[in-house]
Every structure is written in C-alpha cells, then in structure tokens.
Amino acid sequence: AGIMIIVVVHTFKWFSLGMLLAAILPEGLRQKMGPKFQRKVPRVEVFVIFLVTILSNFPKGTNIAYAVGAGLAVCAINYSWNSSKTLEVQESYGEDGVKYYDVEGPLFFGASNRLFKMMKPETDPDKVDVRFSGTTSIMDYSAMEVLHKITAEYQAKGKTITFHSLCPNSQRLMVKANRLVKNVEYTSRDVEVQDIDETLPSPRHGSDMVG
C-alpha cells in the first residue's frame, strides 16, 4: 500500500487541480489570484471529467462504458454547438443588380437554420446568388432541406436563387436527395477554389443530376 501511495504522489499531475479550479472561477477572481490561476481548461471539459468520474460509480448499475459514452455525447453536442457559430454570411450587390450571399463555414443541422434566417426573400432583388467558400460544405439532410426551403421561398415570390461552388461531397449528397432538392439550382466547385468573384458556371437543377 505504501508503494502505491508513493507512485500516486509522484505520478499525479497536481497542477491540474489548479487548472480545474481556475475553470470554475470567474475571470475577475482569477486575475486577482495571480498568474497560477490564468491556466485553465474549458469548463465543458471539467464537466465531462466530473460526469465520467461520477457515472463510473453511481448510480448502481453503471460502469466505465456508460460513463465514457455519456462523456462522448456531451463533447459531441459541445462541438456541434461551437461549429454552428462559425457560419458567416456576408451580403453584397453586383453592378448588374444581383445580390450575393457569401457563405463561409459548414452547413449542418446546427448551422443551416441560421442561414435560413439570414436570407431576405421579401426585400431581395429578382436574382440572388449564394456563393459557398472553400470551407463550406453540405453535411447532412437538414442542410439540404434548408436549401429547399430557401429556394421555395424565393420561387414563391417569382425570384431566382442559385447556390454556387458546391464541393464534390456536397454534390453527391444533392444527387442522392434528388427528390428533395430537384428545384434547387446549383453549380459545382472547380478542383481548385479561386477568387470568388470570378465568372461562375451555369447553374443546374437537382433533377439534372440524376444518373
């Protein structure tokens, strides 16, 4: 027993206790307590540490497998939440009166509704182009459903909207979901994404991609 205690004392990272405490304390209090409390881990990771530790022993019937599964679920939710906030949309107008929406960031269930709320079919001109950046890709069914809803909103008002520069993976998803996105006009991305202001290829409908 004495040997095990010595091993624990010399192998445990005691400084990590300060980092855990710093994660719980508010920023103002950390600054007053000195530089040792400036190092901290994200609070969600502290929560996961305690969650896994508790679920490994309580309630009765749980074990390390359940605890790790719960920790992974919390981390996945946190990652999705943070990724949804990386979506950025910039608006601009061309000389020909076309309105452009430049989209940067992943489109998935956590971010696609944000894109839908940023669109303005009521006040936009008759022609709208949505241009995806090199970091933008359609990642799931929810994103395709939102593209369909956006298209339907504009078409109901007699306006046209085209989604430009879809990556190959996004195109494959669109093809597989052809029944849902058959009215969506989009163009493919070149092998190398260049200046977004370059001439855009002619659009195609989802129904044109059936093969």
Side-chain angles (χ1 to χ4, degrees):
I3 294 176
M4 292 304 299
I5 292 175
I6 296 298
V7 170
V8 171
V9 168
H10 287 281
T11 58
F12 187 81
K13 303 295 184 181
W14 295 101
F15 68 87
S16 63
L17 295 178
M19 296 174 65
L20 294 178
L21 178 60
I24 301 174
L25 298 175
E27 183 177 0
L29 186 57
R30 291 201 310 271
Q31 292 178 349
K32 294 180 181 179
M33 296 179 69
K36 290 184 178 180
F37 286 88
Q38 299 305 310
R39 296 176 60 188
K40 74 181 192 72
V41 296
R43 289 178 179 174
V44 67
E45 294 186 13
V46 176
F47 174 75
V48 169
I49 290 172
F50 284 108
L51 177 67
V52 173
T53 302
I54 293 172
L55 289 182
S56 297
N57 301 279
F58 306 99
K60 186 177 180 179
T62 60
N63 54 41
I64 188 65
Y66 292 116
V68 171
L72 287 173
V74 173
C75 290
I77 293 172
N78 179 67
Y79 176 79
S80 298
W81 177 262
N82 290 333
S83 296
S84 69
K85 294 187 290 185
T86 62
L87 182 71
E88 295 183 1
V89 180
Q90 296 182 350
E91 303 177 18
S92 61
Y93 286 89
E95 296 180 356
D96 52 358
V98 177
K99 184 173 183 178
Y100 297 102
Y101 287 91
D102 295 321
V103 181
E104 184 170 356
L107 282 176
F108 65 110
F109 67 91
S112 53
N113 280 331
R114 289 187 60 207
L115 175 63
F116 180 76
K117 293 177 181 178
M118 292 177 182
M119 306 300 292
K120 303 171 183 176
E122 297 283 349
T123 57
D124 281 348
D126 292 339
K127 182 171 175 54
V128 175
D129 285 335
V130 180
R131 305 184 293 192
F132 291 166
S133 72
T135 62
T136 304
S137 60
I138 300 170
M139 304 183 70
D140 58 17
Y141 175 87
S142 297
M144 291 186 290
E145 185 179 17
V146 165
L147 297 188
H148 170 73
K149 289 169 62 177
I150 292 174
T151 300
E153 290 273 347
Y154 279 86
Q155 290 180 346
K157 301 184 182 305
K159 302 176 181 180
T160 60
I161 181 169
T162 306
F163 300 90
H164 293 281
S165 299
L166 269 68
C167 68
N169 288 336
S170 298
Q171 276 192 275
R172 281 193 288 269
L173 288 177
M174 297 286 280
V175 171
K176 292 179 180 179
N178 175 65
R179 290 183 179 275
L180 174 64
V181 298
K182 61 182 179 181
N183 293 326
V184 178
E185 291 188 357
Y186 62 92
T187 64
S188 60
R189 181 182 302 170
D190 293 335
V191 175
E192 182 177 355
V193 178
Q194 299 177 355
D195 190 346
I196 200 168
D197 292 325
E198 292 181 358
T199 303
L200 296 170
S202 58
R204 67 191 74 181
H205 287 79
S207 57
D208 296 337
M209 295 299 295
V210 179

